[in-house]
Amino acid sequence: MPEWKISEGLTDYEDALAFMEDRVAGIASGSADECVWLLEHPPLYTSGTSARREDLTDPDRFPVYDARRGGQYTYHGPGQRVVYVMLDVGKRGRDVRAFVEQLERWVIGTLAEFNISGHIRAGRVGVWVERPDKPRNADGSVAEDKIAAIGIRLRKWISFHGISINVEPELEHFTGIVPCGITEHGVTSLADLGLPVTMQDLDVALMRGFRQVFGD
């Protein structure tokens, strides 16, 4: 198992980047262990390598950081569990797509512990939940909201950045961006779905789910 690091309070984004850079270098050189870091950030937006400027609809609302990870714009803030995964993908098969699929299965398995059915959709990054309680889409399909985002970067086959799961963030804060460039679907959280899940509850489920997907 990698080292599990859990930070209380809110972690400055630049401090998190600096820690990941240092740990990734250490893993690559063999001087540091793999690490999974669970934390929360103050309200901020991050841009990935595919971010489009027009998708930042309120650029003065919160600080905006260039994350240099895959993906587009995302929001981080209190009530959202951010999970940074610093793992040696080189020793785990050197298959980036398979690694992302493992992250997806990890999130879906974790949500299942709270009786939430998470889904992966072609052309849409992240994990989605169906919302039959909302009006159907124009094409008659069931409405869907995003509950978790996934975006990673690799250096020397070591991953960093990772996933974020909405526990009880201020969902209105997502309106300052077009999350992941998708306009036709919304964003939800465990609390929005009527589930009073604590960060500690989620952390326990994440640790258990990690073992099931990645092994000991």
Side-chain angles (χ1 to χ4, degrees):
M1 288 289 288
E3 174 191 354
W4 284 79
K5 176 180 170 67
I6 303 177
S7 294
E8 301 294 333
L10 303 179
T11 300
D12 179 80
Y13 189 74
E14 292 183 335
D15 289 346
L17 287 180
F19 176 89
M20 285 192 287
E21 292 276 354
D22 184 68
R23 179 56 68 98
V24 165
I27 297 170
S29 68
S31 62
D33 293 331
E34 295 180 312
C35 180
V36 177
W37 187 10
L38 310 179
L39 54 83
E40 294 175 77
H41 284 306
L44 57 92
Y45 298 128
T46 68
S47 64
T49 53
S50 302
R52 299 175 298 185
R53 186 66 183 175
E54 61 269 25
D55 287 343
L56 181 62
T57 58
D58 192 355
D60 299 322
R61 186 171 192 182
F62 298 127
V64 181
Y65 296 93
D66 179 8
R68 299 186 296 280
R69 49 147 178 82
Q72 302 185 37
Y73 281 105
T74 60
Y75 165 77
H76 294 315
Q80 181 190 71
R81 178 51 94 208
V82 175
V83 186
Y84 288 135
V85 288
M86 290 150 274
L87 302 176
D88 191 337
V89 180
K91 292 181 179 178
R92 297 171 183 270
R94 290 194 173 222
D95 188 330
V96 178
R97 178 172 294 182
F99 179 67
V100 172
E101 289 175 351
Q102 286 179 308
L103 295 178
E104 293 170 343
R105 292 204 310 273
W106 181 22
V107 173
I108 290 171
T110 298
L111 294 175
E113 294 210 17
F114 306 103
N115 296 316
I116 296 175
S117 295
H119 303 276
I120 302 303
R121 298 300 189 218
R124 286 192 258 144
V125 179
V127 178
W128 301 78
V129 294
E130 295 183 345
R131 300 299 305 269
D133 55 312
K134 290 188 171 184
R136 285 181 172 262
N137 297 319
D139 62 1
S141 60
V142 176
E144 295 183 336
D145 287 340
K146 189 172 190 175
I147 194 167
I150 298 175
I152 64 166
R153 184 182 178 191
L154 293 180
R155 179 181 299 149
K156 296 182 179 179
W157 288 103
I158 311 299
S159 70
F160 52 127
H161 297 285
I163 65 180
S164 59
I165 300 174
N166 296 330
V167 179
E168 194 173 6
E170 177 53 68
L171 294 179
E172 197 275 333
H173 288 177
F174 284 89
T175 62
I177 58 173
V178 177
C180 299
I182 297 170
T183 58
E184 63 271 28
H185 300 283
V187 179
T188 190
S189 67
L190 294 168
D192 184 50
L193 295 172
L195 296 168
V197 177
T198 67
M199 285 292 178
Q200 292 74 24
D201 292 334
L202 182 65
D203 292 348
V204 170
L206 282 165
M207 291 179 188
R208 186 159 45 233
F210 184 92
R211 293 185 181 94
Q212 293 172 351
V213 173
F214 292 95
D216 293 328

